[in-house]
Amino acid sequence: MASAFSLKRTASSRDVAVYAPSANAFYDATRVLPGAGGGGAEFQTTQMAERLASTGLHVAHIIYPVEREVSTPPNLDLIQRDFYLGRGGPIAKAREAAAIWRSLVRADAEKIILRGYGLHLLVGALYGRLRNCRVVMSGSNDIDFQPERRNRSRVSAAIYRRAIGSADLIVAQTGQQRTVASREFPRSRVELIKSFAEPADVSTEQPDGFLWAGRLVDYKRPLRYLDLARRLP
């Protein structure tokens, strides 16, 4: 295994690494409620990793620790990294950056997929440049392509914008997201891969309602579900 501080690139151990640590709940056999530690975006990364592995690619999924791993396809490796508590100031962020870097080194892949928005974008962009591997930035929301809406500091927003723009490919999951990404990063290659979900059996019961699960924040547009309720009484 390559040293975490080595910048020279040799033949990669794996084809693809997916960075989505909060997807750990979907790989933990001890969880009472599957997905308790992750949401829709994280669940999609598990589906994506498994499908890529089923095609014969050697895939690594970088996740937070699990108590007992579920069985995975032969070509899918779980790379567990330390939890990030999300507090502690600059020192904690520096440690988190180091943890992200070490996990990418352990994954040792030709291509890395960075899902969502966060410090991993900055570390992943630097890693891709120094280690000579391809970087895919995959957004989950319009705001993922608008650093100024995510950061209070102009300097921080500019750094994130530079990192996203350096990706070899930007992936949007809706037509609107693609429009936003193309407008914000006109020099970047932007592709649309529509949002997907796990197939479910057809229900034999007449539904009388629906459930919305998500954080009550403006960019998730919760009021759209009230519009849906009016259209489907």
Side-chain angles (χ1 to χ4, degrees):
M1 184 66 66
S3 167
F5 301 100
S6 174
L7 300 181
K8 293 184 179 180
R9 189 121 187 110
T10 57
S12 301
S13 301
R14 301 177 180 88
D15 299 297
V16 184
V18 181
Y19 187 89
S22 294
N24 61 326
F26 302 106
Y27 293 107
D28 193 340
T30 66
R31 298 298 175 101
V32 177
L33 295 176
E42 288 77 19
F43 185 44
Q44 284 185 337
T45 63
T46 66
Q47 295 176 302
M48 176 175 60
E50 291 175 359
R51 292 297 177 89
L52 290 174
S54 70
T55 67
L57 295 175
H58 197 174
V59 181
H61 198 164
I62 300 171
I63 60 172
Y64 289 135
V66 298
E67 293 185 27
R68 188 171 75 245
E69 291 184 13
V70 299
S71 59
T72 58
N75 291 336
L76 176 57
D77 300 327
L78 300 181
I79 306 295
Q80 298 188 35
R81 49 141 301 177
D82 294 337
F83 280 109
Y84 175 48
L85 300 178
R87 59 180 182 273
I91 294 178
K93 288 186 177 180
R95 290 175 177 170
E96 169 65 359
I100 296 170
W101 182 277
R102 289 194 299 269
S103 70
L104 293 173
V105 170
R106 289 181 58 202
D108 191 26
E110 292 183 4
K111 302 176 181 66
I112 56 176
I113 300 173
L114 308 173
R115 185 66 189 263
Y117 193 94
L119 183 60
H120 62 285
L121 292 179
L122 305 185
V123 178
L126 179 62
Y127 179 89
R129 184 177 183 85
L130 296 180
R131 305 276 293 188
N132 192 30
C133 68
R134 306 291 293 274
V135 176
V136 177
M137 186 276 182
S138 176
S140 300
N141 193 286
D142 299 7
I143 198 174
D144 288 345
F145 307 111
Q146 299 171 302
E148 289 75 14
R149 294 183 62 187
R150 288 278 195 174
N151 298 271
R152 296 179 181 178
S153 166
R154 291 185 179 181
V155 174
S156 179
I159 294 173
Y160 271 95
R161 181 171 288 278
R162 181 69 178 270
I164 296 172
S166 70
D168 295 281
L169 175 65
I170 296 175
V171 174
Q173 62 177 355
T174 68
Q176 179 171 309
Q177 283 183 18
R178 179 172 59 182
T179 299
V180 173
S182 298
R183 182 188 68 227
E184 297 291 331
F185 301 94
R187 296 183 179 180
S188 298
R189 178 187 170 192
V190 179
E191 296 287 348
L192 173 65
I193 299 179
K194 292 185 177 181
S195 183
F196 53 88
E198 188 177 35
D201 295 332
V202 177
S203 176
T204 58
E205 299 182 4
Q206 183 66 27
D208 57 9
F210 63 87
L211 175 67
W212 174 72
R215 288 187 295 119
L216 194 60
V217 290
D218 61 342
Y219 64 83
K220 287 184 177 290
R221 299 187 291 177
L223 295 181
R224 293 295 296 273
Y225 289 87
L226 297 182
D227 296 335
L228 179 62
R230 295 187 185 99
R231 296 178 185 180
L232 301 173

